[in-house]
């Protein structure tokens, strides 16, 4: 089975072809991503109007190139939401036109299920259920319980900023370039993680929800009141605070739901300190397998959309091109099979 993946929900125009069969490794045959980071960097974040225009400019030549590789897709998987509407419509309308003209069936993939399934991209792994999934991206921070493939129950989410958004906003306060996550993570390696006692919002409350706005504000006030403080110490102490919260909430959900697989995905799962800390904590639970995406599939990419598309295809979740609309607010629970 060959699946074409299309991802345009934010600032990456990405196309991929994967080869997938049930119980076999999922192999990426071709993958092209045109990043707009250098364009949006000047504005300190993604400008939706510019993102839409750039997707429009890039997508057709990239599609022509990837379809010229000698593979005929059996299905087209497109990220139909959530995300920026200016980006989503470019991917969705391209997929619809291609499906109409070629009669290749279409699968609407939720961008977040793409992140979840990124742990299987180019891997030969099997998710054992129940699975607990922590999605940490620029737009989302959610804890999801999966009792089976393509079924999602949200057990917690951020009440304000997403984890990646918090990294980006703190980076802006520190005058580090967008996207802030990688920059903060780099500075943190040479800083002292105990230098500043930043708050760990909601870490000990009874819910599986998160809140990061207060942490961001605490950094803002600290920088204002301590202009000569070491940037590396601020980054390290901030990273420690955010990782402490993510780990504590995940462990709390493990206690309640006893998952057999823990999946951590989304752009923030590229963070080495988060990966190392989670790996070390989960090693204490012999019954849980921890799945993290390969570094190259942590941030937005079409290979993960194609991978999720394969699992939706196994459940016959096709969409007629006439019925498909980009939906910037499409939730994982709305995309759930049950
Ligand atoms: O998943 P993603 O590519 O886009 C969304 O779906 O939002 O995530 C992008 C986010 C950005 O906020 C970026 O700062 C963050 O992922 N990120 C990181 C790292 N690499 C990317 N955050 C922390 N540490 C990193 N190494
Ligand atoms: Zn994403």
């Amino acid at each position: 089975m060959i699946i074409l993946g299309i991802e345009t929900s934010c600032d990456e125009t990405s196309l991929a072809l994967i080869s997938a069969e049930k119980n076999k490794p999922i192999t990426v045959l071709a993958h092209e991503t045109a990043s707009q980071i250098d364009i949006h960097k000047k504005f300190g974040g993604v400008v939706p109007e510019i993102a839409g225009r750039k997707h429009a400019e890039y997508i057709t030549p990239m599609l022509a190139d990837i379809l010229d590789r000698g593979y005929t897709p059996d299905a087209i998987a497109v990220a139909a939401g959530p995300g920026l509407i200016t980006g989503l419509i470019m991917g969705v309308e391209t997929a619809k036109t291609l499906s109409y003209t070629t009669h290749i069936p279409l699968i609407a993939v939720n961008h977040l299920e793409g992140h979840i399934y990124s742990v299987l991209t180019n891997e030969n792994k099997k998710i054992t259920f129940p699975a607990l999934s922590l999605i940490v991206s620029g737009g989302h921070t959610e804890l999801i319980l999966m009792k089976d493939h393509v079924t999602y129950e949200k057990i917690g989410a951020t009440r304000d900023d997403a984890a990646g958004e918090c990294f980006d906003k703190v980076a802006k306060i520190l005058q580090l370039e967008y996207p802030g996550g990688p920059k903060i993570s780099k500075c943190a390696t040479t800083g002292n993680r105990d230098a500043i006692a930043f708050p760990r919002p909601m870490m000990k409350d009874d819910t599986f929800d998160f809140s990061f706005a207060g942490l961001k504000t605490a950094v803002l006030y600290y920088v204002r009141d301590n202009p000569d403080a070491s940037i590396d110490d601020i980054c390290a102490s901030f990273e420690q605070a955010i990782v402490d919260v993510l780990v504590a909430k995940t462990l709390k959900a493990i206690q309640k739901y006893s998952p057999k697989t823990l999946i951590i995905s989304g752009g923030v799962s590229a963070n080495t300190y988060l990966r190392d800390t989670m790996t070390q904590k989960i090693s204490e639970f012999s019954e849980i397998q921890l799945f993290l995406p390969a570094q190259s599939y942590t941030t937005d990419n079409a290979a993960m959309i194609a991978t999720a598309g394969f699992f939706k295809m196994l459940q016959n979740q096709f969409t007629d091109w006439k019925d498909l609309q980009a939906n910037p607010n499409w939730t994982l629970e709305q995309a759930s099979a049950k």
Side-chain angles (χ1 to χ4, degrees):
M1 208 72 80
I2 296 198
I3 301 164
L4 170 70
I6 303 179
E7 158 62 41
T8 57
S9 71
C10 190
D11 56 354
E12 323 275 359
T13 316
S14 185
L15 297 173
L17 285 169
I18 65 157
S19 160
E21 300 296 337
K22 215 173 167 183
N23 299 322
K24 296 242 174 82
I26 292 173
T27 314
V28 178
L29 303 170
H31 200 191
E32 292 188 17
T33 301
S35 174
Q36 304 174 12
I37 284 178
D38 283 343
I39 298 162
H40 297 288
K41 216 183 231 176
K42 298 180 217 113
F43 305 98
V46 181
V47 183
E49 163 77 17
I50 298 175
R53 287 192 207 187
K54 287 289 153 191
H55 286 304
E57 184 184 325
Y58 298 153
I59 199 162
T60 309
M62 285 174 67
L63 187 64
D65 188 58
I66 211 151
L67 291 177
D68 226 20
R69 310 272 182 116
Y71 301 102
T72 305
D74 298 291
I76 303 162
V78 60
L84 295 177
I85 188 64
T86 51
L88 291 167
I89 50 169
M90 280 316 306
V92 166
E93 295 307 318
T94 302
K96 283 163 70 174
T97 309
L98 190 64
S99 177
Y100 166 67
T101 50
T102 60
H103 303 289
I104 299 172
L106 197 56
I107 305 160
V109 172
N110 183 291
H111 179 78
L112 300 179
E113 65 189 339
H115 277 304
I116 292 174
Y117 279 96
S118 68
V119 297
L120 300 184
T121 303
N122 248 358
E123 300 281 352
N124 189 12
K125 287 181 182 163
K126 212 173 159 188
I127 299 174
T128 315
F129 297 97
L132 179 71
S133 177
L134 172 70
I135 304 171
V136 271
S137 70
H140 294 84
T141 301
E142 297 190 1
L143 270 167
I144 304 290
L145 184 67
M146 293 172 72
K147 295 196 175 128
D148 203 344
H149 275 297
V150 197
T151 64
Y152 314 103
E153 183 191 333
K154 184 162 82 178
I155 59 167
T158 183
R159 294 190 183 171
D160 40 58
D161 293 352
E165 185 182 359
C166 190
F167 269 98
D168 295 339
K169 286 179 175 168
V170 165
K172 212 168 186 177
I173 294 167
L174 299 173
Q175 294 176 344
L176 300 171
E177 261 182 357
Y178 172 85
K183 309 282 178 316
I184 289 188
S185 169
K186 189 160 180 282
C187 294
T189 55
T190 40
N192 174 1
R193 297 190 182 277
D194 300 320
I196 307 146
F198 287 128
R200 273 86 169 141
M202 292 182 74
M203 188 164 81
K204 293 197 172 131
D205 84 336
D206 287 339
T207 72
F208 297 110
D209 285 345
F210 302 87
S211 166
F212 295 113
L215 173 56
K216 166 195 70 191
T217 310
V219 176
L220 178 71
Y221 290 158
Y222 186 85
V223 171
R224 185 195 62 188
D225 298 340
N226 302 274
D228 298 326
S230 145
I231 300 262
D232 290 359
D233 284 355
I234 297 171
C235 289
S237 301
F238 162 74
E239 189 177 64
Q240 184 67 52
I242 206 160
V243 168
D244 278 353
V245 176
L246 293 172
V247 169
K249 288 280 168 159
T250 305
L251 292 178
K252 190 181 163 83
I254 286 175
Q255 298 295 339
K256 178 160 181 193
Y257 295 101
S258 307
K260 297 203 172 89
T261 309
L262 173 65
I263 295 170
I264 302 174
S265 67
V268 181
S269 74
N271 185 278
T272 308
Y273 190 62
L274 175 66
R275 291 171 85 96
D276 292 350
T277 311
M278 283 287 192
T279 304
Q280 190 247 319
K281 295 278 179 203
I282 299 306
S283 66
E284 292 162 23
F285 298 82
S286 55
E287 67 287 5
I288 303 178
Q289 49 177 0
L290 171 65
F291 287 179
L292 288 155
Q295 276 288 352
S296 48
Y297 302 121
T298 51
T299 49
D300 292 350
N301 68 87
M304 71 182 193
I305 302 299
T307 307
F310 171 65
F311 286 90
K312 300 198 84 161
M313 197 175 166
L314 291 180
Q315 309 219 0
N316 243 345
Q317 287 194 29
F318 293 101
T319 306
D320 193 285
W321 69 265
K322 291 190 207 77
D323 301 326
L324 182 59
Q325 295 293 335
N327 179 353
N329 303 312
W330 194 21
T331 67
L332 251 184
E333 284 180 317
Q334 288 165 341
S336 182
K338 282 165 216 138

